[in-house]
Amino acid sequence: MADITHGQMPHAEPSAHAPGDGIPHPYHLLKPSPWPLLGAFAGGLLATGLVVYMHGGGKLLMILGILSILGVMFGWWRAVIHEAVVEKAHTPVVKIGLRYGMALFIASEVMFFAAFFWAFFDASLFPKASPTNPDAHWPPVGIHVISPFDMPLMMTLTLLLSGVTVTWAHHALLEGRTKEASKALGLTVLLGVLFTFFQLYEYIHSPFKFTDGIFPSTFFMATGFHGFHVLVGTIFLLVCWIRTNKGHFTPESHFGFEAAAWYWHFVDVVWLFLFVSVYWWGGHGGIVAAH
């Protein structure tokens, strides 16, 4: 009130968590950015390229779409890292928003997988007769399923071990042991790459193709979509490994890593459901359940 009586506007004290001097709030007001628009164009290009490729129109658009998506990922993540490390814009209040955003993103991914599981269980619990499967067997007649205790078991152990190493990295970061966190993160990235190679080997040597009926189509959609998530999560963790080596994370501030760890644990849990439902029950136990 004293300032008003002297003809001056009252001065708002800057927040203790404000990103810069003179900013009277702890929020981050984003500058105009090209990345959302470029991301939309890149996603559209990739989707168009995939459709064209699936109809025999060549790979060029699909490759351009993949490269565009990777370019947007690099540029957008670089901008976010600059906001966090250089501008110090990720205040405690901003981090709350980031946490809610990541949690809602993972929830939306759960809905994707729920749709794929729904399709698989509908096909396996209520198999429909067809010219190639007149008795409505599940798996359909002529489909040689993949043994769950062959390559799928190795992939399961690989992902479970990666969940251990990423948790190790998290605890190391919390205790300020940056070099140890870097080592654990590096192992997690290597395990993610190893899982991807295992899945590629399985797909190449699969006894059925995507177009061989309802079992292969639901199998490849569910496991392939998960494989895509493993690839994205591996890139996410690789970025975190690079940031750890650059000293971007501290015991008090490392949400970028936490977001990657949340995502990776989500990928682990989904794979366990896939292993039990699709590989084991759907390929073997489902035969009994369907009848």
Side-chain angles (χ1 to χ4, degrees), residues 116 118-124 126-130 132-133 137-141 143 208-222 278:
F116 294 136
W118 190 307
F120 185 83
F121 280 116
D122 178 69
S124 58
F126 307 102
K128 298 173 179 61
S130 67
T132 58
N133 188 28
H137 282 283
W138 187 266
V141 174
I143 294 295
F208 46 76
K209 297 182 296 183
F210 188 89
T211 55
D212 285 346
I214 185 64
F215 180 92
S217 60
T218 52
F219 171 86
F220 282 119
M221 280 301 299
V278 176

Side-chain angles (χ1 to χ4, degrees), residues 3 44 89 102 136 146 160 197:
D3 290 335
M102 191 66 195
I146 298 171
L160 289 176
F197 277 115

Side-chain angles (χ1 to χ4, degrees), residues 45-68:
L45 182 61
L46 178 59
T48 305
L50 287 171
V51 171
V52 171
Y53 172 69
M54 291 176 188
H55 287 79
K59 302 179 180 178
L60 180 60
L61 278 181
M62 182 181 69
I63 294 173
L64 287 176
I66 293 172
L67 293 176
S68 299

Side-chain angles (χ1 to χ4, degrees), residues 180-197:
E180 187 176 323
S182 174
K183 182 192 299 183
L185 261 179
L187 287 173
T188 309
V189 171
L190 288 177
L191 290 168
V193 172
L194 187 61
F195 177 92
T196 301
F197 277 115

Side-chain angles (χ1 to χ4, degrees), residues 5-70:
T5 57
H6 285 83
Q8 299 176 358
M9 293 297 293
H11 176 68
E13 290 295 328
S15 167
H17 304 293
D21 292 336
I23 299 179
H25 60 76
Y27 302 99
H28 181 204
L29 302 181
L30 293 170
K31 300 173 184 176
S33 170
W35 298 118
L37 182 61
L38 292 177
F41 278 121
L45 182 61
L46 178 59
T48 305
L50 287 171
V51 171
V52 171
Y53 172 69
M54 291 176 188
H55 287 79
K59 302 179 180 178
L60 180 60
L61 278 181
M62 182 181 69
I63 294 173
L64 287 176
I66 293 172
L67 293 176
S68 299
I69 289 288
L70 292 175

Side-chain angles (χ1 to χ4, degrees), residues 29-214:
L29 302 181
L30 293 170
K31 300 173 184 176
S33 170
W35 298 118
L37 182 61
L38 292 177
F41 278 121
L45 182 61
L46 178 59
T48 305
L50 287 171
V51 171
V52 171
Y53 172 69
M54 291 176 188
H55 287 79
K59 302 179 180 178
L60 180 60
L61 278 181
M62 182 181 69
I63 294 173
L64 287 176
I66 293 172
L67 293 176
S68 299
I69 289 288
L70 292 175
V72 169
M73 288 171 64
F74 176 82
W76 205 338
W77 280 357
R78 184 173 182 270
V80 173
I81 291 170
H82 184 270
E83 293 166 0
V85 177
V86 178
E87 298 178 4
K88 306 295 184 184
H90 290 180
T91 65
V93 172
V94 172
K95 288 177 185 176
I96 292 173
L98 293 174
R99 289 176 184 276
Y100 276 118
M102 191 66 195
L104 290 172
F105 170 69
I106 292 176
S108 71
E109 297 294 287
V110 171
M111 296 300 103
F112 269 115
F113 281 104
F116 294 136
F117 278 111
W118 190 307
F120 185 83
F121 280 116
D122 178 69
S124 58
L125 287 171
F126 307 102
K128 298 173 179 61
S130 67
T132 58
N133 188 28
D135 295 326
H137 282 283
W138 187 266
V141 174
I143 294 295
H144 298 283
V145 298
I146 298 171
S147 171
F149 301 109
D150 192 1
M151 186 62 74
L153 180 60
M154 182 66 70
M155 295 158 70
T156 302
L157 295 175
T158 301
L159 268 192
L160 289 176
L161 182 58
S162 72
V164 173
T165 55
V166 78
T167 303
W168 171 23
H170 191 194
H171 283 281
L173 271 179
L174 288 173
E175 296 171 9
R177 303 195 305 271
T178 306
K179 289 185 178 179
E180 187 176 323
S182 174
K183 182 192 299 183
L185 261 179
L187 287 173
T188 309
V189 171
L190 288 177
L191 290 168
V193 172
L194 187 61
F195 177 92
T196 301
F197 277 115
F198 282 158
Q199 189 164 44
L200 285 174
Y201 179 87
E202 179 185 82
Y203 280 5
I204 291 170
H205 295 84
S206 171
F208 46 76
K209 297 182 296 183
F210 188 89
T211 55
D212 285 346
I214 185 64

